[in-house]
Amino acid sequence: MGKNRVPVDAIRDAMIYFIKERNISVPVVLKTVDISRSRLYDYLQGNGKVSATTLVNLLMTIGVSFDELMLHIYMNNPELLDPAIKELGLDAHSVTMTPTEDTVYRTLSMYDETRDVRLLVNLVRAINSQVVDEVEKYRLIEMVRPTIVKLLSSREFYTANDMLMFANIIRHEPYNAAKLVVKQMSDQARRMASLEGYGLMELDNFSSAEVRNVALLHFQLLIMALENKDDETVRNTLMFLREYRLPALSTYFGFVKKMAQVVELSLADDDDAAEALWNQATESAKFLVDERFWPIYSFIARRSYSEFSIPVLSYRQHINEGK
C-alpha cells in the first residue's frame, strides 16, 4: 500500500455527508471552528485544503469521531483497506486458515516493517480462537509475547487494541507483572470515566471497547489470583467486577459478570447455584457470543464446569484451611 492511501477527496466526501446527515448549518460551523466562510466553502467544494487542527474541530462540531469518519470512507471505498490481515488469514471471519509458526513469523516480519498494531492483535486473537491444541497454542503465543510486552512497556496511554492484545497473552505473563499492567490499564479507564460527565462522546459511543476490555482483563486476573492464592487481589477483583459498569450495554460484558458471580457463589459454598448459573450463562452465550472475537469465551466454552472450577475449589480449600 502506497503513501496517502486515503485520498483527500474521500475525506472531504465523508465530511460533506456527515454535515448534511447531521443537518449542521454553516453558521454553526463558523461559530465554533476557526475558519472563514470562503475557506470552508472552498474546502467543501474541492478547491482547497484544511489543517489537521481544523479537521479535528470540524469533526467535534458535527459530532463525529475519527473512527466514524474512517468507517464511512472504507464502507464506500473498500479498495482503500489494507488487505494484509486477510492475506495472512488473521481476519475474524477466516474459517479456512489456522495460524501456524509460519503465520507468526510472517506477521512479526510485517509488523517490524509497518509497526501496525492491528497485526499483533489479530494474530494473538486468531491463535487463541483457532488453534485447538493447547500445547501448540501456548508455543505460538510465546513466540509473539516478547514483541507485545516490549510494545506495551513503552506505552503511557493504552488503546483498546493494546488492552485486547494483553488480554490474549495475560495468562502467559508472570503474575506480578500481569497485576501491574492490569492496574495501569484500569487506572486509565477510571480517568476516562471521570470525563463522562463532561460529555465525552468517545466514551459514550466508541471507548466502550476500552472499558469492556478492562473488565475482560480483570476477570482473567481473577483466575490468576485464585491460582496464586492472592487473597487481597481476589477480594478486590471480585468487588471491581461486581460494581463495574459500561457506558453502553454489552452482551459479552454481561457474560463476564455472570462468570464472576459463578466464582462468588462457589466461594460461598453454594455449588448448586454456581453450576446452575454457569450452565444458564454458557447456554445463552452460544447464541450471542462468537468465540473468534472474544478469547475469554473460548477459554470458558471449551471447558466443563468442573474444569473451570478447579482453581476456585483449590482457593476455597486454601481459605478454609486458613480459618
Side-chain angles (χ1 to χ4, degrees), residues 8-9 12 39-50:
V8 65
D9 289 346
R12 180 186 295 111
R39 189 166 185 180
L40 176 61
Y41 276 119
D42 280 347
Y43 172 66
L44 296 178
Q45 292 170 4
N47 299 320
K49 298 179 180 180
V50 296

Side-chain angles (χ1 to χ4, degrees), residues 240-298:
F240 178 91
L241 290 169
R242 191 186 312 122
E243 298 178 354
Y244 196 64
R245 298 290 183 270
L246 288 184
L249 293 177
S250 166
T251 300
Y252 179 43
F253 180 59
F255 176 76
V256 170
K257 286 181 77 73
K258 280 187 170 60
M259 289 298 104
Q261 291 170 15
V262 168
V263 173
E264 288 196 281
L265 287 168
S266 181
L267 292 180
D269 294 331
D270 197 346
D271 294 317
D272 290 341
E275 186 169 4
L277 181 57
W278 160 276
N279 290 328
Q280 179 262 321
T282 52
E283 192 63 31
S284 299
K286 289 179 182 178
F287 301 96
L288 301 171
V289 176
D290 189 332
E291 66 176 278
R292 294 172 300 178
F293 290 88
W294 295 331
I296 193 63
Y297 177 66
S298 300

Side-chain angles (χ1 to χ4, degrees), residues 190 218 231-242:
R190 287 191 182 95
H218 273 80
D231 300 341
E232 182 180 6
T233 301
V234 169
R235 287 194 302 272
N236 291 341
T237 307
L238 282 171
M239 183 185 302
F240 178 91
L241 290 169
R242 191 186 312 122

Side-chain angles (χ1 to χ4, degrees), residues 181-241:
V181 176
V182 172
K183 181 182 184 305
Q184 291 169 340
M185 292 180 171
S186 182
D187 288 345
Q188 177 183 305
R190 287 191 182 95
R191 294 198 303 272
M192 291 167 54
S194 70
L195 299 176
E196 186 179 10
Y198 293 89
L200 181 64
M201 181 190 305
E202 282 71 18
L203 184 62
D204 290 337
N205 298 320
F206 308 107
S207 292
S208 59
E210 279 94 332
V211 292
R212 184 180 65 217
N213 288 340
V214 167
L216 165 61
L217 286 164
H218 273 80
F219 181 79
Q220 300 204 79
L221 183 65
L222 171 62
I223 302 300
M224 296 175 75
L226 292 168
E227 294 169 342
N228 284 273
K229 309 297 188 292
D230 183 348
D231 300 341
E232 182 180 6
T233 301
V234 169
R235 287 194 302 272
N236 291 341
T237 307
L238 282 171
M239 183 185 302
F240 178 91
L241 290 169

Side-chain angles (χ1 to χ4, degrees), residues 34-224:
D34 186 14
I35 187 173
S36 67
R37 180 184 294 269
S38 60
R39 189 166 185 180
L40 176 61
Y41 276 119
D42 280 347
Y43 172 66
L44 296 178
Q45 292 170 4
N47 299 320
K49 298 179 180 180
V50 296
S51 68
T53 301
T54 299
L55 179 63
V56 168
N57 283 299
L58 282 170
L59 290 173
M60 291 175 63
T61 299
I62 62 180
V64 173
S65 75
F66 180 77
D67 287 341
E68 274 187 310
L69 182 78
M70 294 307 301
L71 177 60
H72 183 273
I73 290 171
Y74 286 139
M75 288 181 68
N76 287 280
N77 305 274
E79 71 280 0
L80 297 177
L81 282 165
D82 185 347
I85 301 295
K86 184 168 288 294
E87 290 172 357
L88 289 166
L90 301 177
D91 63 295
H93 299 283
S94 175
V95 294
T96 58
M97 300 178 70
T98 299
T100 63
E101 184 175 294
D102 180 64
T103 310
V104 174
Y105 283 130
R106 289 172 57 209
T107 306
L108 290 177
S109 176
M110 192 174 294
Y111 170 74
D112 285 340
E113 294 177 7
T114 64
R115 287 296 188 256
D116 186 346
V117 175
R118 295 177 310 134
L119 294 168
L120 301 180
V121 175
N122 282 272
L123 176 59
V124 291
R125 188 171 66 178
I127 292 171
N128 274 319
S129 64
Q130 296 178 26
V131 179
V132 177
D133 183 87
E134 293 296 331
V135 174
E136 178 67 359
K137 179 189 297 186
Y138 182 88
R139 189 177 73 86
L140 295 179
I141 289 291
E142 281 298 297
M143 292 172 63
V144 187
R145 187 170 65 89
T147 300
I148 294 176
V149 171
K150 182 179 179 181
L151 168 67
L152 294 180
S153 66
S154 64
R155 291 285 205 247
E156 293 185 5
F157 180 85
Y158 299 105
T159 66
N161 276 338
D162 293 337
M163 295 180 184
L164 188 55
M165 273 195 304
F166 193 68
N168 275 275
I169 70 166
I170 183 173
R171 292 184 59 79
H172 293 248
E173 282 291 278
Y175 178 57
N176 287 330
K179 283 175 61 176
L180 177 61
V181 176
V182 172
K183 181 182 184 305
Q184 291 169 340
M185 292 180 171
S186 182
D187 288 345
Q188 177 183 305
R190 287 191 182 95
R191 294 198 303 272
M192 291 167 54
S194 70
L195 299 176
E196 186 179 10
Y198 293 89
L200 181 64
M201 181 190 305
E202 282 71 18
L203 184 62
D204 290 337
N205 298 320
F206 308 107
S207 292
S208 59
E210 279 94 332
V211 292
R212 184 180 65 217
N213 288 340
V214 167
L216 165 61
L217 286 164
H218 273 80
F219 181 79
Q220 300 204 79
L221 183 65
L222 171 62
I223 302 300
M224 296 175 75

